[in-house]
Amino acid sequence: MKLFHKIAFVFIFAATCAGAQDTAPINAWPEVDRVDVRNLTAPIVERLTDEARARLALRKARETAAEIEALEAVQAQALIPEVDADFDPDVAPHAREYRTACASGNAKACIELAQLYRQGGFVWIDRDLGDTMLRLWCRRGELSACTSDVNFDDYAPIIPILTKGCIEKSAKACQRLSSIYSLGVNGVERDTALAAAMDDLARRYAEVACAKGHGDSCYLQFFSLNHWKKQSKETEARLTQILEAGCAAANSSSCEILASRYLGTRVPAKDVAKSNRLYDKACALGSYRACVKRNAPMPPNAAGILCAADGSVADCQSAMPLPHEYVAADWDEAQRLKARHRSGRSVFEAVLEPEYFLFHPQDHGHIRRSARVCAMGKNLACRDLADAYASLAGRGLEWASWDGIMDRQTQREIFEHLCNAADPVGCWKYGYALYSDQHDSGVLAPPYVEVFQLACNMGQGNSCAKLAFHYELRHSRSDKVLEAEMQVKYARHACDLDNHDGCSNLAGYLSRDPLLYGPANLRACLEGEPNGCWILAQEYDRGRDSFRKDRSLAKMLRETGDALAEQYHSKN
């Protein structure tokens, strides 16, 4: 691993500078290491627990801030002057107005810009960018972003925003809550009773708004009442009335569904002429399905909608400005084009000129943005580009498998380049790429260990935690004290760097030395990992390994572990 020797010097120098500035890791807690774990008392546990509660609250605040900061970093990629080239020339001036207003903090402009990137038509489709911008503005409290159809890794943080909107009689907010609770998705437990209550509120609020002339609310009211099967004449008449109100208020979906009803048996009398007029109106309002029915010219947003719906290469290309980029016709051509494109230069240099031919057109905007911003020296975009080769390359193309070609070699080489350029996260990702291939090879010192050490020395907590896990596996196979000490060393450093996996890895019988496993479990306990508290409680129950026997303190430790774990994992 000679290529890392130069970097090691950089890290030693950086560490020396950090020491000179006397800056401790953000989550360091040296006081805990000085506590005699074998002779804890109730007052000491109470004091440490109070400190732990305050520290856990700060950690959760840091996690939230980091999540929002990451979203902001991606949105910033849409606010640079270079993005004007992504828009149709006729639309670019208007897009520039959105961009300028968004950069100044105008939420409505940012949300409009996000929807443009998601829909295409006048801009290179970049659904990832649009979705990220909507997630950001939802987290900032903008209800219209939260009620969009964007998905979240964790829905818990947006529940208060939607609840506030529902209380303020937003039918869309209530409907989104109903959907979340009925499914029980990502951080929110399923609650069918609450889902039904939210659905009822959505229907009632939509009815009120529909009566005031809000077309979208009429459609929402229809959607909540309609069971998509024939119902009583009274109910069918009511549904038709709701759709008529929605269509009169310029809701294209209401006009389109109403038109279909006049061709069937859900209205008193079939009326083809009226159906055609309604389809014409729906088409004029932007419904591409209605335009297809009437063989009329498609609305400007149709190609983007079709691209999202069926993902064909032709539809997605037509949803973006000219000229369209070429897409490889088969696997062999893709490999020939890639070899020609990369000839005579490094992989990193080559991918900065986007290799569109490897990607479905619906991902071209994403690749274009990542390559552009990476070339500007932004490592976040470079890492995003690397991940795109593993997750997006070939996906959706007939000649690739269902989940794409998973070009992990290109991904790894980009990460290696970033690691050589002293990017901590790039080193972590490069190490993890090596780890994925080698972690069960039986080699005592596989290459990923050195890479993780470099990243850990840079302050990358994930790498320190992964090293702790590596030494934990080594210890389980050899039962050597050194491995246990190394596990604790790296787990504690990861924990100091605010990495919860590292804190959790401190819990357990890491060795039979109470001076090693005792302080480690106390730290894990106070960081919200209940196993640490339970192990200490067990020692005080038994009074072994120089722990005094104190069942009252053991009970207190168990209760402390449960309380701190509940606080850490709470979504509030």
Side-chain angles (χ1 to χ4, degrees):
M1 301 295 289
K2 292 181 180 179
L3 62 95
F4 294 112
H5 291 170
K6 289 187 292 184
I7 304 174
F9 171 79
V10 175
F11 295 155
I12 294 170
F13 177 77
T16 303
C17 293
Q21 295 171 1
D22 195 27
T23 54
I26 194 170
N27 195 47
W29 199 353
E31 295 83 359
V32 173
D33 296 332
R34 293 193 288 266
V35 172
D36 185 353
V37 180
R38 297 166 297 173
N39 289 292
L40 292 174
T41 62
I44 292 175
V45 172
E46 287 176 356
R47 175 176 61 81
L48 291 175
T49 301
D50 289 341
E51 291 181 24
R53 288 187 182 281
R55 289 169 59 90
L56 286 175
L58 288 173
R59 177 194 281 182
K60 293 183 70 173
R62 288 195 299 268
E63 289 175 351
T64 299
E67 290 170 8
I68 293 176
E69 184 180 353
L71 297 173
E72 290 173 339
V74 175
Q75 176 178 270
Q77 298 174 7
L79 304 181
I80 57 178
E82 287 80 359
V83 302
D84 283 352
D86 297 342
F87 289 85
D88 185 284
D90 294 334
V91 178
H94 303 292
R96 195 176 305 122
E97 292 176 6
Y98 281 136
R99 174 168 57 80
T100 302
C102 178
S104 66
N106 185 306
K108 184 177 180 181
C110 292
I111 292 170
E112 291 288 346
L113 192 60
Q115 295 293 9
L116 281 177
Y117 278 111
R118 297 176 88 222
Q119 296 168 3
F122 305 105
V123 64
W124 286 59
I125 295 173
D126 191 343
R127 194 170 181 88
D128 176 76
L129 175 59
D131 286 354
T132 300
M133 293 174 70
L134 290 177
R135 293 187 188 105
L136 169 62
W137 285 97
C138 176
R139 292 296 299 273
R140 286 178 172 176
E142 290 296 325
L143 186 61
S144 61
C146 295
T147 56
S148 67
D149 62 350
V150 69
N151 294 321
F152 292 82
D153 291 333
D154 184 1
Y155 283 84
I158 77 169
I159 292 295
I161 302 167
L162 291 171
T163 301
K164 181 176 181 290
C166 187
I167 291 172
E168 294 173 352
K169 301 185 177 181
S170 164
K172 286 186 176 181
C174 299
Q175 184 61 47
R176 189 92 202 261
L177 282 172
S178 175
S179 175
I180 291 171
Y181 283 121
S182 66
L183 297 173
V185 294
N186 300 2
V188 179
E189 292 185 6
R190 189 181 184 198
D191 189 331
T192 54
L194 188 54
M198 294 296 102
D199 188 57
D200 182 62
L201 285 175
R203 183 164 51 250
R204 287 161 52 191
Y205 295 154
E207 182 177 5
V208 172
C210 178
K212 294 179 180 179
H214 296 286
D216 290 351
S217 296
C218 297
Y219 179 69
L220 183 59
Q221 182 190 6
F222 165 80
F223 192 83
S224 66
L225 289 171
N226 184 48
H227 297 153
W228 302 105
K229 61 183 179 180
K230 192 168 184 179
Q231 302 174 85
S232 68
K233 289 183 178 181
E234 294 77 11
T235 300
E236 292 292 352
R238 174 65 178 141
L239 291 173
T240 298
Q241 184 181 25
I242 293 170
L243 289 173
E244 287 174 342
C247 185
N251 177 263
S252 62
S253 297
S254 296
C255 297
E256 180 188 342
I257 296 175
L258 187 60
S260 69
R261 292 171 78 87
Y262 276 100
L263 293 178
T265 59
R266 296 195 175 192
V267 291
K270 184 176 181 179
D271 191 331
V272 176
K274 186 170 185 177
S275 174
N276 289 339
R277 289 196 299 273
L278 288 167
Y279 274 129
D280 288 340
K281 182 174 182 179
C283 176
L285 291 171
S287 169
Y288 79 91
R289 290 181 297 268
C291 296
V292 171
K293 285 279 187 181
R294 296 293 291 151
N295 197 26
M298 300 289 272
N301 66 335
I305 296 173
L306 288 170
C307 173
D310 63 23
S312 76
V313 169
D315 283 332
C316 292
Q317 283 184 326
S318 62
M320 293 188 287
L322 294 170
H324 299 149
E325 296 292 339
Y326 183 74
V327 177
D330 54 49
W331 168 265
D332 291 336
E333 184 184 26
Q335 298 311 303
R336 287 196 303 273
L337 291 173
K338 183 167 74 169
R340 184 189 311 159
H341 182 77
R342 299 182 182 184
S343 178
R345 52 183 172 174
S346 71
V347 169
F348 185 80
E349 291 172 328
V351 299
L352 294 183
E353 294 180 18
E355 297 178 316
Y356 297 114
F357 51 84
L358 291 174
F359 296 86
H360 192 287
Q362 65 187 351
D363 297 317
H364 282 182
H366 184 164
I367 301 303
R368 178 183 174 96
R369 166 176 55 89
S370 297
R372 170 197 293 140
V373 181
C374 177
M376 294 176 178
K378 301 295 185 182
N379 289 339
L380 171 65
C382 300
R383 298 192 295 266
D384 185 43
L385 182 61
D387 287 332
Y389 276 89
S391 61
L392 299 180
R395 193 179 68 178
L397 299 176
E398 292 182 0
W399 50 264
S401 61
W402 179 82
D403 50 359
I405 61 177
M406 294 182 288
D407 187 355
R408 302 196 187 281
Q409 182 62 34
T410 297
Q411 178 195 41
R412 183 181 306 168
E413 292 194 39
I414 296 173
F415 288 151
E416 182 179 9
H417 174 91
L418 295 174
C419 186
N420 287 335
D423 172 36
V425 181
C427 266
W428 147 245
K429 286 181 170 283
Y430 178 48
Y432 192 81
L434 296 173
Y435 169 82
S436 298
D437 292 338
Q438 302 168 348
H439 74 280
D440 200 28
S441 63
V443 178
L444 291 179
Y448 67 78
V449 171
E450 184 176 356
V451 182
F452 283 149
Q453 286 172 338
L454 295 173
C456 180
N457 289 341
M458 283 195 205
Q460 215 294 317
N462 287 325
S463 297
C464 303
K466 190 59 72 175
L467 282 170
F469 180 67
H470 166 74
Y471 284 107
E472 180 183 5
L473 291 180
R474 288 269 303 270
H475 180 241
S476 67
R477 292 169 180 170
S478 65
D479 199 30
K480 292 181 180 178
V481 174
L482 177 62
E483 270 71 19
E485 291 175 349
M486 295 295 284
Q487 177 188 350
V488 171
K489 170 189 172 181
Y490 283 112
R492 180 177 283 118
H493 190 39
C495 191
D496 287 349
L497 292 168
D498 221 12
N499 181 279
H500 187 66
D501 287 342
C503 300
S504 298
N505 197 270
L506 287 167
Y509 286 107
L510 312 176
S511 77
R512 287 313 313 161
D513 182 359
L515 295 179
L516 184 66
Y517 77 77
N521 278 286
L522 178 61
R523 179 69 185 278
C525 166
L526 295 172
E527 295 287 356
E529 176 50 60
N531 284 336
C533 297
W534 297 337
I535 286 172
L536 292 178
Q538 185 169 263
E539 296 309 303
Y540 276 99
D541 261 335
R542 296 173 177 175
R544 67 179 187 180
D545 285 344
S546 68
F547 283 81
R548 74 175 188 278
K549 193 167 186 176
D550 188 336
R551 291 186 172 174
S552 176
L553 187 65
K555 179 181 178 183
M556 184 180 187
L557 285 166
R558 289 191 184 93
E559 292 172 349
T560 296
D562 292 341
L564 292 177
E566 182 179 359
Q567 178 184 345
Y568 177 74
H569 294 290
S570 170
K571 299 298 181 179
N572 299 321

